[in-house]
């Protein structure tokens, strides 16, 4: 890509959060949080339980409105917008506690992502027009392809809540990708997985980034996972950013060891 | 040309539709032989209307996971709107000419009901939770009260002398078309958006679904069909009264739906059919009707909480057109 005619202050960051605070009533969950993520980066967000990691995801995706501060996506403010608007702008996420559409099939779960990009209107749907069938076929092929990539093709017509745990996690990631995001937020994707499964998930995440030109912000509890996959890490504790740097720097940071690794060492 | 070969192909490709045509022919035939009397025919027409009422309620409650409990209110809007046109305004032009008024009146009844649905759905559905239940129930009562106190609409005495425009043919065409339209809706991306909201509203938003808009759309569509049903219903009974549309009426549709299976078009059809016929078989116990309904509902909820049919569909109803 040629960088022609970029003004000096031109925004190169895909996501930029500036001085964000968030309060739940009197409780300050996030304090002066800032981050800038460039396209195609994989950034980790770690910290002990209750540090405010999930809250940051909820703020970025529009479930909460920050009490103070702003969130820019591709240079445009998105704070205060509704979640579906933010998804349509190009941010997608998974949830710490899996949120699939349990009674729908695996394939239907993915197809939901195509609702807002549908190429047919209400009357085409009601009258089941030729156009409707053509578009439905396209959607189906596209979704089956995505399922194949996650090894879920054979299970396409099973109910989502009948899948084993690991497959449910992967389906959630596949579903997030189906919205065609530029920024993917993964909330503890390896939670509940054994080291081997977590390892293969890491590989998948790397491949995804390259294949879909993704930028990824990742929350993870297992330190090994984060250290292995992230280029840059931010550490939160009680809503405060206590450290930030490469995996090596983080591993040597004393404050982090006290707040986070210490806890791990005791276990 | 209608050759035997072509007929055969048609029946193979559209078994359900062919079956319904056959059923229609059979009922008309039996009626002409006097084996069925006009009371039976009226019952069949009520089944058709109740099916559309229940399926349209299922769109809102079963497929989208909302809880509307005033569906009869929309029926009232449709009934009074269309009766206003066919009976009060035009003093029923005789013969076939009347249908020139009746068909548009039914459509307008549906549109009025849809507009009402839109107006109450828009502020209520974004709140989620139990608001919809409370508001729909209140709305149905308000509609009834308005009719009750307004003399031009017959007031508490009701309106009589409504022409009997609704007939077996019209009900068949109406019910088949309506169910077909709603089936298509469910099988489309709109249906999937609805089910996503039902299963997990937060995840639906994250998948880019404008959940408020989808809920309002479904609610409006459901109200539209209920409004059309109201028009047909009024022109079967030939006499309407505010008490035709009480909360009990809304409750009946809820019972049909939940007994049949709320997340299933087939279930709604089964529920509406069985429970329109059943009470007629036990006419002598008619004062026990609601008791029988409630007991059945409790039993079904205990032993088959997903309804008689569950959330499956009868294959021919949802099988997609064969692609050539
Ligand atoms: N909806 C909420 N209402 C009130 N407090 C909340 C809410 N969500 C999270 N919190 C609180 O905010 C803090 C951060 O939570 P969370 O972001 O879930 O932590 P993490 O994901 O890092 O484990 C915790 O103290 C939690 O109890
Ligand atoms: Mg969390």
């Amino acid at each position: 890509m040629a960088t022609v005619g970029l003004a000096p202050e031109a925004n190169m960051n895909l996501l930029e959060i500036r001085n964000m605070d968030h309060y739940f009533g009197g409780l300050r969950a996030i304090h002066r949080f800032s981050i800038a993520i460039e396209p195609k980066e994989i950034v980790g967000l770690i910290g002990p339980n209750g540090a405010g990691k999930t809250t940051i995801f909820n703020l970025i995706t529009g479930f909460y409105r920050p009490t103070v501060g702003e969130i820019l996506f591709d240079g445009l403010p998105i704070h205060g917008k509704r979640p579906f608007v933010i998804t349509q702008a190009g941010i997608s996420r998974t949830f710490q506690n899996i949120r699939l559409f349990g009674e729908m099939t695996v394939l239907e779960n993915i197809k939901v992502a195509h609702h807002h990009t549908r190429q047919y209107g209400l009357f085409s749907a009601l009258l089941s027009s030729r156009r409707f069938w053509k578009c439905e076929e396209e959607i189906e092929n596209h979704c089956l392809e995505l399922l194949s990539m996650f090894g879920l093709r054979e299970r396409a017509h099973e109910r989502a809540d009948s899948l084993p745990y690991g497959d449910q996690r992967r389906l959630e990631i596949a579903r997030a990708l189906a919205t065609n995001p530029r920024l993917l937020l993964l909330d503890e994707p390896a939670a509940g997985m054994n080291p081997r499964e977590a390892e293969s998930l890491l590989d998948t995440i790397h491949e995804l980034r390259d294949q879909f030109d993704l930028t990824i912000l990742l929350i993870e509890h297992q330190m090994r996972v984060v250290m292995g996959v992230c280029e840059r890490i931010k550490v939160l504790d009680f809503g405060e950013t206590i450290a930030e740097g490469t995996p090596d720097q983080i591993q040597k940071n004393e404050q982090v060891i006290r707040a986070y690794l210490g806890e791990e060492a005791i276990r | 040309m209608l050759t035997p070969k072509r007929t055969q192909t048609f029946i193979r490709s559209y078994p359900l539709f062919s079956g319904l045509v056959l059923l229609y022919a059979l009922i008309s035939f039996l009626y002409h032989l006097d084996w069925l009397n006009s009371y039976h025919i009226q019952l069949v027409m009520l089944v058709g209307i109740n099916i559309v009422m229940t399926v349209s309620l299922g769109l809102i409650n079963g497929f989208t996971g909302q809880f509307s409990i005033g569906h009869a209110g929309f029926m009232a809007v449709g009934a009074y709107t269309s009766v206003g046109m066919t009976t009060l305004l035009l003093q029923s032009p005789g013969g076939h000419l009347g249908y020139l008024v009746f068909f548009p009146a039914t459509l307008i009844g549906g549109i009025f009901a849809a507009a009402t649905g839109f107006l109450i759905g828009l502020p209520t559905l974004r709140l989620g939770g139990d608001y919809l239940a409370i508001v729909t129930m209140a709305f149905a009562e308000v509609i009834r009260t308005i009719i009750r106190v307004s003399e031009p609409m017959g007031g508490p005495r009701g309106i009589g002398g409504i022409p009997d425009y609704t007939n077996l043919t019209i009900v068949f065409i109406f019910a088949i078309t309506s169910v077909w339209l709603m089936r298509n809706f469910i099988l489309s991306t709109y249906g999937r958006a609805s089910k996503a909201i039902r299963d997990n509203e937060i995840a639906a938003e994250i998948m880019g679904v404008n959940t408020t808009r989808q809920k309002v759309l479904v609610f409006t569509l459901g109200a539209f069909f209920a409004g059309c049903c109201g028009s047909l219903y009024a022109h079967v009974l030939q006499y309407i009264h505010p008490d035709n549309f009480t909360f009990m009426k809304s409750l009946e549709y809820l019972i049909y739906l939940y007994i049949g299976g709320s997340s299933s078009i087939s279930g709604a059809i089964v529920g509406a059919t069985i429970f329109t016929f059943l009470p007629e078989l036990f006419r002598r116990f008619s004062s026990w009707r609601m008791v029988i309904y409630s007991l059945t509902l409790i039993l079904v909820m205990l032993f088959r909480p997903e309804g008689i049919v569950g959330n499956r569909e009868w294959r021919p109803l949802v099988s997609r057109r064969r692609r050539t």
Side-chain angles (χ1 to χ4, degrees), chain A residues 5-267:
Chain A
L6 279 179
E9 71 273 21
N11 200 326
M12 290 294 290
N13 297 318
L14 187 64
L15 181 75
E16 192 170 340
I17 299 178
R18 293 185 195 143
N19 277 325
M20 180 170 71
D21 286 359
H22 190 68
Y23 287 79
F24 290 113
L27 172 81
R28 190 176 67 199
I30 302 295
H31 185 49
R32 304 195 67 98
F33 182 82
S34 297
I35 198 170
I37 304 178
E38 284 173 23
K40 296 206 72 179
E41 266 193 303
I42 299 186
V43 179
L45 195 57
I46 63 172
N49 258 324
K53 307 180 295 292
T54 299
T55 302
I56 286 177
F57 274 19
N58 287 337
L59 285 159
I60 296 173
T61 50
F63 286 108
Y64 306 142
R65 190 195 181 102
T67 315
V68 179
E70 51 185 10
I71 305 173
L72 304 178
F73 180 63
D74 216 8
L76 298 171
I78 54 165
H79 46 276
K81 293 217 157 60
R82 281 187 55 188
F84 77 90
V85 178
I86 291 171
T87 303
Q88 293 179 3
I91 301 181
S92 193
R93 73 176 282 189
T94 63
F95 295 91
Q96 186 174 347
N97 347 12
I98 303 176
R99 286 179 175 276
L100 290 173
F101 306 123
E103 290 185 28
M104 300 168 74
T105 66
V106 169
L107 180 59
E108 283 181 310
N109 264 266
I110 307 272
K111 281 184 176 177
V112 172
H114 290 264
H115 181 66
H116 76 271
T117 52
R118 66 188 174 276
Q119 297 292 311
Y120 58 83
L122 179 61
F123 286 96
S124 280
L126 285 172
L127 298 172
S128 149
S129 69
R130 204 175 286 272
R131 182 186 185 81
F132 163 84
W133 287 104
K134 198 172 145 279
C135 296
E136 279 291 305
E137 205 169 271
E138 280 168 18
I139 292 175
E140 176 139 342
N141 292 339
H142 193 273
C143 293
L144 285 173
E145 220 169 275
L146 194 61
L147 282 179
S148 301
M149 284 171 47
F150 282 83
L152 291 167
R153 180 75 163 75
E154 278 68 43
R155 295 183 173 268
H157 298 288
E158 289 175 33
R159 258 174 73 136
D161 58 7
S162 73
L163 294 185
Y165 184 80
D167 282 348
Q168 292 199 10
R169 281 245 172 250
R170 280 189 304 166
L171 175 56
E172 225 199 7
I173 299 176
R175 191 182 67 173
L177 284 175
T179 63
N180 217 355
R182 278 182 291 163
L183 175 65
L184 180 63
L185 312 178
L186 299 171
D187 198 343
E188 306 203 14
M193 290 188 176
N194 61 40
R196 222 174 44 111
E197 287 174 315
E199 197 72 29
S200 99
L201 185 74
L202 290 194
D203 293 339
T204 316
I205 291 173
H206 264 128
E207 282 169 29
L208 291 177
R209 192 257 310 254
D210 296 336
Q211 194 166 349
F212 291 91
D213 273 339
L214 279 177
T215 308
I216 295 174
L217 180 58
L218 176 89
I219 296 178
E220 190 43 70
H221 223 69
Q222 302 182 29
M223 283 304 261
R224 269 177 300 276
V225 176
V226 192
M227 296 300 169
V229 73
C230 298
E231 292 144 355
R232 205 148 61 82
I233 293 170
K234 237 174 141 63
V235 189
L236 279 187
D237 195 16
F238 294 110
E240 310 264 358
T241 307
I242 57 168
E244 148 161 52
T246 62
D248 274 346
Q249 292 169 332
I250 296 297
Q251 269 166 322
K252 289 182 197 122
N253 186 306
E254 263 181 44
Q255 218 179 343
V256 178
I257 294 168
R258 227 177 304 129
Y260 192 88
L261 298 178
E263 182 192 68
E264 183 115 308
I266 293 163
R267 274 199 218 143

